[in-house]
Amino acid sequence: MEFREAMKARKSIRGYKPDPVSKETIQNILDIAVQSPSAMNTQPWKLYVVGGETLKTIGKENIELLSSGTAPETEVRFPEKHQGVYKQRQVDVAVQLFQLMDIGREDQMKRFEWMQRGFRYFDAPAAIVLAYDAIMEPASLVYFDLGLLTHAICLAAVEEGLGTCIHGQGAMFPQTIRKHVDIPDDQMIFNCISIGYADPDFPANKVETPREPAENISSWTGF
Ligand SMILES: Cc1cc2nc3c(=O)[nH]c(=O)nc-3n(C[C@H](O)[C@H](O)[C@H](O)COP(=O)(O)O)c2cc1C
C-alpha cells in the first residue's frame, strides 16, 4: 500500500466487528512499527497487547469504577482544557460524533453510554497499551517517541485491513489495566490503541475530521 493511501485511509475507528485479530497479524504490525525513530535511538516504548476476555474484563471494571464515581486518573498528565482554535477543533469533532450517534445535547443517558463505550475500548477485540520506563522522566522526548510509534502502528494496521483508535480514555483507569496485565510498577502507562476490524455500519466511523491545510501552518524561508 502506498504511503499516501495509508495516510488518507487511517482514521479513528470507534465501532468494531467482533471478529478476533490474530496474534500473528498484530505481531506483524508491531514488527514494522518498531522501525520508528526515537530520540538518540532510546526506543523507550513498552507495549502490552491485551485481547479476548481480559480486555472485556478490564472494560467492565473501568465502567464499574466510572459508575461508582471514581475519578479517572491518568499516570501521565495531560492538559485538562484547551483554548481558542484548539478548543474549537475539539468541540467540532465531538459535535460530529454526537450527531452521527444521535446523542442529544441534553441526553445525559446517551452521553454516559457513549463515554462508557470509550472505557470499554469501543468493543474492539484487542488493545495495545503503551508504557515507558519511569527512569525516562521527565518524559517529553519519550512522549514524542511514543507518538511516532503510535502513528506507525495505526498506519501498519491500515495495511493489514484493520482499524484503530488512539485513545487516552483507555488509560484513564490504569489501576484496572495493572490488575489484569503484568506491568512493572516502575513503568508508566501512557496511552492506548484499540485495534480490530472496523464495522463499516457503525455511525461514528463516518466522522470526517478536517485538517488545516499545510500552507496555513507553514512558512518558508530561503526558497
Ligand atoms: C493522544 C490521543 C488521544 C486520543 N484520545 C481519544 C479518546 O480518548 N477518545 C476518542 O474517541 N478519541 C481519541 N483520540 C482520537 C482523536 O479524537 C482523533 O485522532 C482526532 O479527532 C482526528 O480524527 P481521526 O483520527 O479520525 O483522523 C485521541 C487521539 C490522540 C492522538
Side-chain angles (χ1 to χ4, degrees):
M1 176 180 270
E2 296 283 335
F3 170 73
R4 283 176 174 272
E5 214 183 309
M7 278 294 284
K8 284 188 177 164
R10 188 219 57 83
K11 62 187 301 200
S12 293
I13 295 300
R14 299 181 176 91
Y16 294 87
K17 294 181 185 168
D19 314 18
V21 183
S22 73
K23 188 174 172 187
E24 189 194 2
T25 305
I26 297 180
Q27 189 68 62
N28 277 343
I29 291 169
L30 301 186
D31 285 345
I32 189 64
V34 293
Q35 287 299 319
S36 298
S38 58
M40 294 159 276
N41 200 26
T42 45
Q43 303 170 55
W45 36 71
K46 308 280 182 196
L47 300 175
Y48 298 89
V49 187
V50 190
E53 286 308 310
T54 308
L55 186 62
K56 281 189 189 143
T57 305
I58 293 172
K60 195 170 133 281
E61 293 184 12
N62 280 347
I63 289 167
E64 281 164 11
L65 284 176
L66 184 73
S67 305
S68 71
T70 308
E73 199 172 328
T74 51
E75 293 185 3
V76 171
R77 296 274 155 251
F78 294 103
E80 279 172 21
K81 283 196 165 65
H82 295 305
Q83 296 178 15
V85 69
Y86 309 110
K87 175 77 188 164
Q88 192 54 52
R89 288 179 185 148
Q90 183 185 355
V91 168
D92 289 347
V93 71
V95 166
Q96 209 189 138
L97 270 168
F98 283 12
Q99 274 172 358
L100 283 162
M101 294 303 298
D102 194 24
I103 301 172
R105 226 180 133 78
E106 308 300 331
D107 195 334
Q108 296 305 329
M109 178 74 96
K110 279 193 179 176
R111 286 175 83 106
F112 187 62
E113 276 169 15
W114 177 253
M115 197 198 288
Q116 290 186 41
R117 196 176 173 77
F119 278 107
R120 39 170 226 266
Y121 307 89
F122 302 106
D123 297 332
I128 301 164
V129 178
L130 292 104
Y132 63 90
D133 245 315
I135 52 168
M136 296 300 278
E137 293 282 356
S140 47
L141 282 178
V142 175
Y143 302 161
F144 189 97
D145 297 340
L146 289 174
L148 295 172
L149 178 71
T150 298
H151 196 201
I153 290 173
C154 296
L155 292 175
V158 170
E159 194 182 47
E160 295 283 352
L162 290 164
T164 52
C165 186
I166 306 162
H167 64 124
Q169 201 186 353
M172 280 185 187
F173 287 121
Q175 64 269 50
T176 319
I177 298 175
R178 288 187 180 279
K179 186 172 157 196
H180 297 281
V181 182
D182 191 15
I183 302 180
D185 289 344
D186 58 3
Q187 288 182 20
M188 309 284 284
I189 294 178
F190 176 68
N191 217 322
C192 280
I193 308 172
S194 294
I195 185 163
Y197 295 97
D199 175 352
D201 299 323
F202 190 74
N205 290 345
K206 297 185 174 57
V207 165
E208 283 181 17
T209 49
R211 296 294 188 270
E212 193 71 23
E215 64 179 28
N216 293 357
I217 51 98
S218 49
S219 75
W220 300 67
T221 309
F223 274 80

